[in-house]
Amino acid sequence: MDKQKTTKAQEMHAVEMMIGYILRIGVIVSTIVIIIGMLLMLIQGNGGYANGMEPHTVADILAGIVALKPYAVIMLGLFLLILTPTLRVAVSIYAFAVEKDHLYVWITTIVLIILIVASVIGYLGN
């Protein structure tokens, strides 16, 4: 019984470390992307779009990234920054499942669904 608790504690520690790693990597990558966008803006002297013509769809943002338009690159960095805690919620579902804490699995799943629905509503609200 003691060995099972130790193994479970070790696995939970590993999951917590993975969650921390995801958060750190997400913030670092998004920061690097935003800085690249800002450097592109300094080099090019503008955001790559006429005033009021910023990209509003994923396809427009991706096309802007391919064309190295600074504003689109910065938007990608912001999207990655927003995605990071959402990914943390998804990993937390796994952590609670390992603990066999079914109540928190359901609660965290509901939170993830709410985050996804809110993101879709926000995207469609443009």
Side-chain angles (χ1 to χ4, degrees):
M1 184 80 174
D2 238 2
K3 188 172 184 159
Q4 185 181 22
K5 284 185 181 180
T6 303
T7 304
K8 191 174 183 179
Q10 289 171 340
E11 188 170 353
M12 283 311 304
H13 178 71
V15 170
E16 289 170 5
M17 293 299 291
M18 183 172 61
I19 289 171
Y21 184 72
I22 288 169
L23 291 172
R24 274 190 300 267
I25 293 299
V27 169
I28 291 168
V29 169
S30 63
T31 302
I32 290 170
V33 172
I34 291 169
I35 289 171
I36 290 170
M38 292 171 70
L39 289 173
L40 284 171
M41 191 174 287
L42 284 173
I43 292 167
Q44 294 179 10
N46 61 37
Y49 296 95
N51 286 341
M53 300 301 293
E54 293 86 12
H56 292 289
T57 65
V58 175
D60 289 343
I61 293 170
L62 292 176
I65 292 167
V66 170
L68 291 178
K69 293 187 177 184
Y71 189 79
V73 175
I74 292 170
M75 287 184 72
L76 173 66
L78 292 174
F79 173 74
L80 292 173
L81 188 62
I82 292 168
L83 184 65
T84 300
T86 305
L87 185 58
R88 186 235 186 268
V89 171
V91 172
S92 294
I93 294 171
Y94 169 75
F96 292 131
V98 167
E99 286 184 5
K100 296 189 182 350
D101 193 340
H102 302 293
L103 175 63
Y104 280 102
V105 168
W106 283 108
I107 291 171
T108 310
T109 301
I110 291 168
V111 168
L112 182 61
I113 291 168
I114 290 169
L115 285 170
I116 291 169
V117 168
S119 296
V120 169
I121 289 171
Y123 175 74
L124 295 176
N126 276 338

